[in-house]
């Protein structure tokens, strides 16, 4: 059974940091690109970042460049999203998703991904 489980969300003050984890089971993570998306109330789901299966290609939304870092540990079957300098606008439910193939701007499109986690809430406020 394919499963993606996000963890690490929570409440943080503006300027703070959080590290999200996406743990995979039921499939060979090594062969999949992993994307992070977020969904805030009243907004559309937004692609945040993506890492290719080999970690050779990294993608970031302009809104998070320089603040977020994506990485993966295929031995631990986990992908991470380090989020620094958080802003209230980063408040959302964050999801990780797996795709067999991701190239170029396809990383940003939810339909590229076949497997999704249940999400973890990130709240940035003072």
């Amino acid at each position: 059974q394919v499963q993606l489980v996000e963890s690490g969300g929570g409440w943080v003050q503006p300027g703070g940091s959080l590290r999200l984890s996406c743990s995979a089971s039921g499939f060979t993570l090594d062969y999949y690109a992993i994307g992070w998306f977020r969904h805030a109330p009243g907004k559309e789901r937004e692609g945040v970042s993506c890492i290719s299966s080999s970690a050779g290609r990294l993608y970031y939304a302009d809104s998070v460049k320089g603040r977020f870092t994506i990485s993966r540990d295929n031995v631990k079957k986990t992908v991470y999203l380090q989020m620094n300098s958080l802003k209230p606008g980063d408040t959302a439910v964050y999801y990780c998703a797996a795709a067999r193939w991701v190239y170029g701007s396809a990383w940003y499109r939810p339909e590229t991904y076949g497997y999704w986690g249940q999400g973890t809430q990130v709240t940035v406020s003072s």
Side-chain angles (χ1 to χ4, degrees), residues 59 61 64 74 77 85:
Y59 305 92
V64 306
N74 286 344
K77 298 185 177 182
S85 302

Side-chain angles (χ1 to χ4, degrees), residues 60-107:
Y60 296 97
D62 288 344
S63 58
V64 306
K65 277 180 184 176
R67 300 188 298 123
F68 291 11
T69 302
I70 193 169
S71 61
R72 65 189 296 154
D73 185 335
N74 286 344
V75 174
K76 294 184 178 179
K77 298 185 177 182
T78 302
V79 174
Y80 304 98
L81 185 68
Q82 178 67 43
M83 306 187 297
N84 298 329
S85 302
L86 282 162
K87 305 174 182 179
D90 295 317
T91 296
V93 177
Y94 283 71
Y95 300 87
C96 63
R100 188 67 178 85
W101 303 105
V102 174
Y103 292 104
S105 62
W107 81 267

Side-chain angles (χ1 to χ4, degrees), residues 7-13 15-21 67-69 80-86 90-92 94 120-124:
S7 62
W11 173 83
V12 65
Q13 291 185 331
S17 297
L18 285 174
R19 188 177 79 158
L20 304 184
S21 298
R67 300 188 298 123
F68 291 11
T69 302
Y80 304 98
L81 185 68
Q82 178 67 43
M83 306 187 297
N84 298 329
S85 302
L86 282 162
D90 295 317
T91 296
Y94 283 71
T120 185
Q121 175 71 46
V122 171
T123 302
V124 185

